Amino acid sequence: MRDVLASAPGKVNLALLVGNLDASGYHPLTSVFEAISLREYVEIRGTLAGDSAQESTVEVRTLVYSAGPNAMQPRFDEKATVEFAPFDGPEHLAVRAVRLLVPTGVRLGVTVHKTLPIAGGMAGGSADAAATLIAVNEWAGLGYTGEELSRIGADLGADVPACMVGGLALGLGRGDAMTVIDPGTAQPEYSSRWWVAAFAKEGLSTPQVFRQFDALRDNAGEPQRVEAAQEVEGKENTTVSVPGESISPVLLAELQRPGVGIASAVTNDLAKAAFTLRPELRKVGSACMDAGAEAWILSGSGPTIIALSRTANHAREIAEAVDALPMVRETAVMWGPEEGARIEKNLPSWCLDVRG
Ligand code: C5P
């Protein structure tokens, strides 16, 4: 059977609005996702097992690439690849994605070309799952639609649907009930914007950030967004968002502006919690502004900081400036909104060809 190649984008959150912890231990989210041009590429090679009832065997190998401020393209990172090898097992989201679609009857080899930071709040794991789902769907001729694959993949990670649909998308619920606002483009266009991502040396745990968020809200006795919304119920209100349920039409309209027109609207409710845990992250944002960024924001639950820039060249200058900071591991320059998961004909030239 023929090999299949697919890719899926990472994401940034232009808005991340967080509600109160619910009984299931999660926080309802209103999130506006933007797919960005750092993509994960997934290659699938396989054969049918002799016995169709036999449990599928799946082997995964992840090759890690890094970007860097002056790199027009990602570069293979041997050290990071060796460090990632222990995670190339049954818990890898690509392996779990294969097993969801073809639990029995196949022998598959999966190569993941990873450009998104590990635990960086840019949905790298979810992008692996999304690209694998569409690759396996194609390879095995399963005929699922993108929407069906999104629904299947949401069990693997809350960001899988965002990586699948790409472009600009609104997520409600836990950020996973997805509505496409704009499908994005395959190449940068006049309406695209450029981002600098600064990846921190030290990771930040998502549950810890949410716990800190709860503690700050409890201590401050802040009126909850939901209560604030209820207070204005009955009156026409275009400025209130209820996390998990709605986004204010004003905010949504601002985030649909082209290019850096969104600068004053980007927002992340988790920022204060993340900066309480890791105050040095604010310095990364300030350095981006000093270098001329239009705006900066925490990406997801962090620790990645992203900054908005008018042009690719300017983004590279900002990246170079923040790359020198001690808490920054590396930087990447990217644009959005980009297309979602798609089948690819060829690997990009910077990917190692390991098929031999
Ligand atoms: O989605 P993920 O499994 O990465 O979430 C990790 C943890 O982050 C959850 O177990 C929960 O503690 C917290 N979380 C949350 N609300 C969300 C998403 C995650 O409280 N919407």
Side-chain angles (χ1 to χ4, degrees), residues 6-239:
S7 72
K11 61 84 191 171
V12 295
N13 303 80
L14 303 186
L16 184 58
L17 311 176
V18 182
N20 299 336
L21 186 65
D22 66 21
S24 68
Y26 277 80
H27 297 74
L29 304 177
T30 290
S31 182
V32 177
F33 296 100
E34 172 161 310
I36 44 84
S37 57
L38 276 186
R39 302 180 77 89
E40 306 278 86
Y41 287 79
V42 171
E43 294 178 86
I44 301 281
R45 298 167 306 284
T47 53
L48 296 178
D51 173 3
S52 64
Q54 194 183 322
E55 196 182 323
S56 296
T57 55
V58 188
E59 272 180 35
V60 66
R61 179 172 178 204
T62 304
L63 304 174
V64 182
Y65 300 76
S66 60
N70 292 312
M72 295 298 286
Q73 298 177 330
R75 286 174 303 232
F76 178 60
D77 186 335
E78 191 169 3
K79 184 165 170 273
T81 297
V82 170
E83 281 167 8
F84 194 87
F87 302 100
D88 280 342
E91 291 306 311
H92 197 302
L93 282 178
V95 175
R96 293 175 55 200
V98 172
R99 291 196 181 283
L100 267 184
L101 291 185
V102 280
T104 59
V106 303
R107 282 194 288 262
L108 273 182
V110 181
T111 305
V112 177
H113 299 267
K114 178 169 263 315
T115 63
L116 289 161
I118 295 141
M122 290 179 70
S126 289
D128 294 347
T132 305
L133 287 171
I134 74 157
V136 171
N137 186 49
E138 174 88 3
W139 180 82
L142 300 176
Y144 288 116
T145 63
E147 211 170 296
E148 286 167 332
L149 291 174
S150 282
R151 215 171 306 128
I152 294 168
D155 286 343
L156 296 174
D159 292 329
V160 173
C163 298
M164 194 71 84
V165 301
L168 277 187
L170 171 66
L172 298 173
R174 286 182 194 168
D176 52 352
M178 204 61 56
T179 312
V180 178
I181 302 168
D182 176 328
T185 57
Q187 297 295 329
E189 289 185 358
Y190 83 97
S191 59
S192 307
R193 50 193 148 247
W194 291 85
W195 293 100
V196 176
F199 309 129
K201 277 195 183 133
E202 205 187 317
L204 190 54
S205 125
T206 300
Q208 201 188 350
V209 174
F210 276 103
R211 277 198 299 273
Q212 184 68 40
F213 171 85
D214 293 335
L216 287 174
R217 216 170 234 187
D218 290 347
N219 290 344
E222 277 177 25
Q224 310 288 350
R225 282 181 185 272
V226 178
E227 290 160 13
Q230 281 162 352
E231 271 170 31
V232 294
E233 216 175 1
K235 295 179 210 151
E236 190 179 353
N237 193 302
T238 54
T239 58

